[in-house]
Structure formats: structure tokens, C-alpha cells
Amino acid sequence: MKRALITGVTGQDGSYLAEFLLSKDYEVFGLRRRTSTPNYENVYSIKDRIHWISGDLTDLASLIEAVRIADPDEVYNLGAQSFVAASWPQPLLTSQITAVSVTNMLEAVKIVKPTARFYQASSSEMFGKVVETPQRETTPFYPRSPYGVAKVYGHWITVNYRESFDMFACSGILFNHESPRRGLEFVTRKVTDAVARIKHGLQSELRMGNLDSLRDWGFAGDYVKAMWLMLQQEEPDDYVISTGEMHTVRELLQVAFSYAGLDYEQYVVIDPEFVRPAEVDLLLGDSSKAQTKLDWKLEVGFHELIHMMVDEDMKRVAAEIRYHDAFILVN
């Protein structure tokens, strides 16, 4: 039985990855921060099948202890401050958690279990103000946010440890990947949650920023399989993971609202507050290397993804209403 250590296991990607690895009979260890109220929502159904280890990505000593306890064959470093918009008001926090912590994790692996295979979650935000389209593994980086800059550091320190210490260390340059487990602050989930609330009469408008930004959106459940495939190869390498299709935020709105029988133009309000200080106009990935070398395949398309997210938010909001009504009735 293989053993895997996942940082960020309670997040969107970590939860899908944990489920996937458990389906392959892995023993899964999850790093969790020491908090008074841990959030297990995304991993509730598998919570008791994960071995939990307390630790902090900014604390090397705790990571060394985590690697010692887990004794992993594979390490998936998914933990980060992952909300791009939050990286401008919190650049130092983003640098510590999203950049320097990658060195902490690599160093812990190098000290305790240098034979473990290491995956680093890189990001399409590293391409930022793109210098070529589509973006591939050889495309130069031009990040446009503190988050993007931090991810570039994490990417290159992973390459450096691979080349300096002969570690099996890979980076997956994942383009935007979404699901019903995505946080409400992210634009796709912000939209599908608003659709559900507007449909149920709980919300009257949706405030948005730039509707013309172009993104390459895929399903997180498909992308975690690519992470695993990277660590099953004979040699470590870096891979772009993407759909190869671009859609505007406006199209996202059209698909989500029309699926619920609504016209987005009646509800969307443009708010300058949601316009980024430095915009990334378009991201489009070329994942042909991953498709060829990893035999990785997409299974969920854009429309199917957005419909899935709307369906789940509709169910969740309806359940919230029932719970609220029952509470009022009892009290």
C-alpha cells in the first residue's frame, strides 16, 4: 500500500485528490493547521479514512515531523493562499504561504524522505501578461499579481531542488479548474451561488468586475488525476494541465444564468471594486504534452462543469431554506 501526504487536503483539489488516491488503495495523510474549528466540509465523507497530522506550512519543524510520521511515497503540496484578489492586500502573507512554504516542504522531504516523489501545485497565473498564446511549458512567465509572483518562486524552487538534489520533483501548471467545492470567493462559484440565490429569491443582484477576461476553465476532478500521473512517470518533469478552450466571464454568466432560466443582464452590476489592479486578460493552455506523455484525458466539458456547479448550489441553497424554515417553526 502506497502512502501519500497531502497539504491543503481540505481544499477543493486536496479533497478530490484524497478521494482519488483512496480509490487506488493509498494510505492518505492530510496536513491540517492547528485551528479551534477545522473545516472538513469537502472531505466529510472520507474524513475518517484520512490520517490527520497537525502542522503549518510556515513552520519547517512541523513539516519535518509530518513527513516523519507519514513516511510518504508521494507528497502533494497543494496548500497555499490561493485567492488571487487577496494577494494584493496581503502580499507578505501570500509570499510566506504560497512561495517560501514550498521551500519548507521540499526541505522537509529532502531531510526526512528524499526518495519521496514530490508534486508542486503551480498555476497558470504565472503566465500573467502572456507573451504567447496558447501557453505551454516553455512559455516565459510574466506574473501580474503577488499570488502569481509567489507561484513562480514555488515553481522554480521545485525545479532547483530537482536539479540540485536529484529529487523526483514535478510541477503541474494547472489552468483554472473549478467544481462545486470551489470557494465562494472565486468567480465561477460566486456566479453559480448567485444564480441559486436569485432563483430562490434570496438575492437580487450580482456585482462583478471585468466580464471580458478570458479563461481556460476545467473540472478539478479531472485535474487531480494529472497530478497523480506525473508522479507515476520514470522521470520527473513539469506539465501544463488545461482544456485548450477559452471562455469569457460573460459567457460563464450566460451559461449559468440561462441554465436556471434567467437572463444575466437583468441581475449583473459592474462594480469597479472587483476589477484587479493588474488584469490578466487571457489564459489558454496547451496540454498536449500531458495528453501525450501522461495519457491524461479530459472528461468534463465547460458547459457540463457549470451546470454541475449550478445544480449543487441549487440543492445547497434549497437545503438552507428548509433548515431556516424548520428553525423558525420550532422556535
Side-chain angles (χ1 to χ4, degrees):
M1 180 179 286
K2 283 189 175 182
R3 298 159 71 94
L5 173 62
I6 304 173
T7 72
V9 69
T10 59
Q12 170 189 255
D13 293 4
S15 63
Y16 280 112
L17 178 62
E19 290 175 352
F20 178 74
L21 295 178
L22 286 169
S23 75
K24 291 191 169 295
D25 295 325
Y26 274 65
E27 193 168 1
V28 175
F29 294 78
L31 188 76
R32 63 180 171 190
R33 286 177 295 167
R34 299 180 184 91
T35 61
S36 57
T37 54
N39 182 2
Y40 296 115
E41 181 179 357
N42 286 335
V43 293
Y44 184 78
S45 64
I46 58 170
K47 176 177 175 289
D48 295 335
R49 300 177 63 194
I50 296 174
H51 302 284
W52 296 97
I53 304 174
S54 293
D56 193 303
L57 290 172
T58 63
D59 178 23
L60 176 59
S62 71
L63 298 182
I64 289 174
E65 180 65 6
V67 176
R68 186 193 66 77
I69 293 170
D71 188 27
D73 300 290
E74 298 170 5
V75 175
Y76 295 87
N77 190 40
L78 311 184
Q81 189 297 98
S82 58
F83 186 41
V84 176
S87 71
W88 276 285
Q90 296 181 307
L92 296 179
L93 176 68
T94 300
S95 298
Q96 287 296 317
I97 298 177
T98 307
V100 177
S101 68
V102 183
T103 307
N104 290 340
M105 200 68 232
L106 283 162
E107 191 66 11
V109 172
K110 179 172 73 74
I111 291 170
V112 181
K113 190 70 180 294
T115 59
R117 297 188 170 201
F118 182 88
Y119 172 85
Q120 166 59 18
S122 289
S123 169
S124 60
E125 287 288 330
M126 300 188 304
F127 295 120
K129 189 175 182 180
V130 299
V131 299
E132 68 174 356
T133 299
Q135 295 87 55
R136 49 185 62 88
E137 292 80 5
T138 56
T139 301
F141 300 136
Y142 193 148
R144 296 271 280 171
S145 66
Y147 170 82
V149 172
K151 280 294 186 181
V152 170
Y153 174 91
H155 179 87
W156 281 117
I157 199 66
T158 301
V159 172
N160 185 260
Y161 267 66
R162 180 171 72 213
E163 296 178 348
S164 299
F165 305 113
D166 196 29
M167 292 175 65
F168 194 108
C170 302
S171 286
I173 308 173
L174 272 56
F175 279 65
N176 298 68
H177 47 291
E178 318 298 325
S179 77
R181 301 178 190 177
R182 179 56 98 182
L184 289 169
E185 68 271 23
F186 290 83
V187 67
T188 49
R189 187 73 194 290
K190 177 180 177 179
V191 168
T192 60
D193 175 70
V195 167
R197 293 187 176 280
I198 290 170
K199 189 68 175 179
H200 283 95
L202 301 180
Q203 188 170 320
S204 60
E205 67 177 23
L206 171 61
R207 306 188 79 82
M208 298 287 290
N210 182 8
L211 303 189
D212 297 317
S213 293
L214 286 155
R215 291 295 183 271
D216 184 330
W217 279 299
F219 174 49
D222 288 342
Y223 285 32
V224 299
K225 297 174 185 175
M227 300 176 187
W228 176 76
L229 285 168
M230 290 179 208
L231 299 195
Q232 312 314 306
Q233 305 306 302
E234 291 186 6
E235 299 293 334
D237 205 348
D238 306 321
Y239 298 86
V240 162
I241 305 299
S242 64
T243 70
E245 295 181 3
M246 278 194 304
H247 302 274
T248 62
V249 175
R250 191 183 308 277
E251 186 177 354
L252 163 65
L253 290 164
Q254 291 170 336
V255 172
F257 274 82
S258 63
Y259 183 60
L262 302 170
D263 179 358
Y264 83 94
E265 293 183 332
Q266 296 181 17
Y267 303 99
V268 173
V269 177
I270 303 302
D271 187 338
E273 179 184 344
F274 296 107
V275 177
R276 293 179 175 183
E279 186 60 79
V280 174
D281 296 318
L282 70 89
L283 291 172
L284 176 65
D286 176 3
S287 61
S288 57
K289 178 180 174 181
Q291 293 175 43
T292 301
K293 292 192 173 184
L294 304 180
D295 195 27
W296 174 71
K297 299 179 178 64
L298 285 166
E299 296 181 13
V300 178
F302 176 71
H303 285 73
E304 185 181 355
L305 168 62
I306 303 306
H307 292 172
M308 175 202 308
M309 294 176 67
V310 171
D311 284 339
E312 290 301 313
D313 277 325
M314 286 286 195
K315 293 176 187 175
R316 180 181 53 81
V317 171
E320 289 177 3
I321 293 172
R322 288 195 299 271
Y323 177 82
H324 177 266
D325 291 346
F327 180 82
I328 295 298
L329 183 63
V330 169
N331 290 275

